[in-house]
Amino acid sequence: MRTRGFGIDFGGSGIKGAPVDLEQGDFAAERLRIDTPDPSTPEAVAEVFAELLSRFPSDGGPVGVTVPGVVRHGVVHSAANIDKAWIGTDADALFTRATGRDVHVVNDADAAGLAEVRFGAARGQGGLVIVTTLGTGIGSAFVYDGVLVPNSELGHLQIDGHDAESRAAASIREEENLSWSEWAERLTRYYRTVEMLFSPELFVVGGGVSRRSELFLPLVRIQTPTVPATLENRAGIVGAALYAATSA
Ligand code: BGC
């Protein structure tokens, strides 16, 4: 496998990219951020990717990109929190055309999962690791003995008649002004359901809020060992680069 890659993290407010050292699991140069265009249609986003890539010297290698939706064979199949125009878009083909690079798209939580298992909080952990990202929505990654089982989409489990992420995402804590302990109650309900269904060896909790994990993780009452993610905002970029390097 290559030792250098490039990852792009496509988020609701910013598009961030950096070359990645695939042996260390870290950025190989400073990350660059460009505002996400509004509306964030696939074509508008593709232009930003081309602009972003043009600011770095190219080694011609593959580029990984995260997308907050279901991705199969480069085609985006869902768009819970992004422009609906993404549904049905062959993102691999569009981005490859727009950038002249070999682009591989991966679900954002799956990218974070790959990165955490290879380089972060779940390094060396065998069996089933479930990485969840708590942000605007809830993302999830299933990694079994280091191998990703993509598109698990556990943020959309139906729990108590609700789409789980509409009750327990980090954005909901802010919107509904929940205290940390009120939010932890919802997370307990959520993670208990997931552990009952899948009995993982380990949960890794990521997303921006994981930087403040001491405020809520100790209040989440579940059996499964649970640790905060360690790659923080590098997980998407590093995981995307890793995904592309192994898919190319
Ligand atoms: C989407 C997932 C995504 C997650 C986190 C969910 O609403 O369905 O694909 O991974 O949000 O962004």
Side-chain angles (χ1 to χ4, degrees), residues 7-85:
I8 298 179
D9 187 351
F10 161 41
S13 60
I15 292 174
K16 293 149 264 174
V20 172
D21 178 331
L22 294 170
E23 289 171 329
Q24 302 296 323
D26 205 349
F27 298 165
E30 202 173 326
R31 175 191 95 147
L32 186 74
R33 179 191 186 282
I34 301 179
D35 280 348
T36 302
D38 184 17
S40 54
T41 56
E43 288 71 21
V45 168
E47 272 179 40
V48 175
F49 288 172
E51 160 68 19
L52 194 147
L53 282 167
S54 75
R55 310 247 206 114
F56 291 91
S58 168
D59 62 358
V63 173
V65 171
T66 69
V67 172
V70 170
V71 182
R72 262 187 291 126
H73 308 295
V75 179
V76 179
H77 290 279
S78 76
N81 298 307
I82 51 173
D83 197 292
K84 300 298 173 232

Side-chain angles (χ1 to χ4, degrees), residues 48-204:
V48 175
F49 288 172
E51 160 68 19
L52 194 147
L53 282 167
S54 75
R55 310 247 206 114
F56 291 91
S58 168
D59 62 358
V63 173
V65 171
T66 69
V67 172
V70 170
V71 182
R72 262 187 291 126
H73 308 295
V75 179
V76 179
H77 290 279
S78 76
N81 298 307
I82 51 173
D83 197 292
K84 300 298 173 232
W86 283 89
I87 297 175
T89 296
D90 186 336
D92 276 11
L94 173 69
F95 298 152
T96 295
R97 230 174 17 247
T99 63
R101 300 281 291 272
D102 178 21
V103 181
H104 297 268
V105 174
V106 58
N107 172 266
D108 56 357
D110 283 343
L114 281 176
E116 290 294 339
V117 170
R118 181 71 69 92
F119 302 112
R123 192 175 182 155
Q125 173 69 58
L128 178 62
V129 176
I130 299 185
V131 180
T132 54
T133 60
L134 305 174
T136 309
I138 297 180
S140 65
F142 262 47
V143 186
Y144 189 82
D145 278 350
V147 177
L148 175 72
V149 182
N151 300 309
S152 48
E153 290 291 327
L154 300 183
H156 300 296
L157 282 175
Q158 295 296 307
I159 302 178
D160 302 331
H162 299 276
D163 190 43
E165 71 175 21
S166 74
R167 300 277 298 160
S171 61
I172 303 298
R173 183 187 69 82
E174 288 171 9
E175 264 171 54
E176 297 186 17
N177 252 316
L178 301 176
S179 67
W180 291 105
S181 65
E182 285 168 332
W183 187 46
E185 277 306 304
R186 294 193 184 185
L187 291 173
T188 297
R189 180 84 185 102
Y190 177 67
Y191 285 108
R192 276 189 184 169
T193 307
V194 177
E195 74 180 354
M196 183 264 293
L197 289 170
F198 302 107
S199 304
E201 303 290 340
L202 180 71
F203 281 125
V204 177

